[in-house]
Amino acid sequence: MESNPATKGGSRHIACKLCRDRKVRCGGEQPACDKCRRSGDRCVYLPTSKSPTKAGLAHTVQLLKQRLVVKNGTESKSQQRCGSGPTVVYASRLRISDII
């Protein structure tokens, strides 16, 4: 029995890898979409990645802040004045070697 992932619990349409690579519309039929079935290609659906949670993003930000403190040796002057508030960094002045 074929099922369409677009009708399973959401409105997001999932394309197979081949259709995604070719940037063509995929019907999303499983186990193989019509385009793959007609062309005789292997139809593969890759698992979708989940969106990051707020807690996960906050944890990542905290880890990056710790890396900056270790890299700089101390907290930056703006963090000392403003507590742990956000620090604005202009990309035109930022070098990758400053972060890593």
Side-chain angles (χ1 to χ4, degrees):
M1 180 175 153
E2 293 182 15
S3 63
N4 188 339
T7 60
K8 285 187 176 181
S11 62
R12 297 191 82 191
H13 183 75
I14 301 172
C16 71
K17 181 170 180 357
L18 190 65
C19 289
R20 189 177 301 268
D21 290 345
R22 291 179 178 172
K23 297 183 180 180
V24 296
R25 186 177 299 262
C26 181
E29 300 86 7
Q30 289 196 7
C33 72
D34 286 337
K35 285 189 179 18
C36 288
R37 190 176 301 126
R38 278 186 255 144
S39 66
D41 291 320
R42 188 168 154 231
C43 191
V44 177
Y45 288 91
L46 299 176
T48 58
S49 60
K50 294 184 178 181
S51 298
T53 62
K54 287 184 181 180
L57 291 174
H59 180 68
T60 301
V61 167
Q62 186 62 34
L63 290 174
L64 291 172
K65 283 182 180 180
Q66 289 173 356
R67 285 176 61 188
L68 283 172
V69 168
V70 169
K71 177 72 175 173
N72 293 334
T74 63
E75 291 187 26
S76 67
K77 292 179 183 176
S78 64
Q79 286 178 327
Q80 290 172 355
R81 277 187 271 127
C82 302
S84 63
T87 302
V88 176
V89 177
Y90 295 98
S92 62
R93 297 180 188 163
L94 186 64
R95 296 181 306 229
I96 297 296
S97 60
D98 293 338
I99 297 173
I100 299 174

